[in-house]
Amino acid sequence: YIIIIFVQDLTHSSTMVGFNFFLIFLPFALLSSYAGVLADKFSRKWLLFTSQLIIIGVIFSIVLFVKEGVINSTSIYSLSILLVLYGLCFAFIPSSSSSLLGDIVKKNSLEKNAIVVSLIGILMFSISPLVSGYIKEKVEWATLFLLPLILFGLSNICLLGMKINVKKINNNKS
């Protein structure tokens, strides 16, 4: 939501906000089911790590491009391209993290943990615009963009430290 608030602040155009929101979530909508298949075939940990690392790069690029004047109120096309890349990577986060949960918790507590993680996700998704807007009133954009950089970075550091026993999915047809 930081990006959406940023586009509104930069362009003062609801149309551009909607268009850029669309650019993020179209790849997510188109790829999320395929991302789940890939999360079952490849390392969930590394899919999640790579997706988040690319998103870190996208956010860092946005901050750099704004500081250098590449992204401004009259030229946000480079932002739009970066948001498509963000959306492509974001499509892998829910499926990879959900599948990863199955690898790190005991089977008898998986349902309970899945519900807790889903509720936390819903809560964070719900309050993100409020928190982002509040923080934006106090700091510059570059500082606000540090928040997701730090959070994705911490997540990746945690992923690097995790030992995961991957549970193989039986794809044998009988």
Side-chain angles (χ1 to χ4, degrees):
Y1 279 108
I2 292 171
I3 293 171
I4 301 306
I5 295 169
F6 171 69
V7 171
Q8 176 63 40
D9 188 58
L10 186 66
T11 65
H12 304 289
S13 168
S14 298
T15 302
M16 289 309 295
V17 169
F19 177 70
N20 283 282
F21 192 78
F22 175 76
L23 291 177
I24 293 171
F25 285 99
L26 179 65
F28 178 80
L30 295 175
L31 290 177
S32 57
S33 61
Y34 298 110
V37 171
L38 291 175
D40 288 339
K41 289 186 177 188
F42 299 104
S43 169
R44 298 158 176 117
K45 175 181 173 179
W46 292 109
L47 274 174
L48 184 57
F49 181 88
T50 304
S51 296
Q52 292 182 156
L53 189 62
I54 294 170
I55 288 174
I56 289 169
V58 167
I59 295 169
F60 182 78
S61 297
I62 291 169
V63 171
L64 182 66
F65 287 177
V66 168
K67 285 199 169 285
E68 294 297 320
V70 175
I71 296 172
N72 57 51
S73 61
T74 59
S75 179
I76 66 164
Y77 299 106
S78 54
L79 174 64
S80 298
I81 292 167
L82 288 169
L83 294 183
V84 170
L85 181 58
Y86 181 97
L88 289 169
C89 293
F90 190 70
F92 289 89
I93 292 176
S95 56
S96 298
S97 57
S98 295
S99 298
L100 192 58
L101 182 65
D103 292 337
I104 60 177
V105 300
K106 294 179 182 170
K107 185 176 175 150
N108 62 353
S109 66
L110 179 59
E111 294 83 10
K112 179 179 147 190
N113 284 297
I115 290 170
V116 169
V117 169
S118 294
L119 289 174
I120 291 170
I122 291 168
L123 176 65
M124 293 298 112
F125 201 70
S126 301
I127 66 170
S128 179
L130 175 66
V131 171
S132 299
Y134 177 77
I135 294 171
K136 173 53 192 122
E137 291 177 2
K138 312 285 184 211
V139 300
E140 295 296 318
W141 280 114
T143 305
L144 182 58
F145 276 116
L146 283 175
L147 182 61
L149 285 174
I150 290 168
L151 293 175
F152 281 122
L154 287 173
S155 176
N156 273 0
I157 290 168
C158 291
L159 281 169
L160 286 174
M162 292 176 79
K163 283 219 167 249
I164 299 171
N165 297 323
V166 177
K167 297 171 182 112
K168 295 288 183 188
I169 294 177
N170 187 358
N171 288 331
N172 296 336
K173 298 196 177 181
S174 304

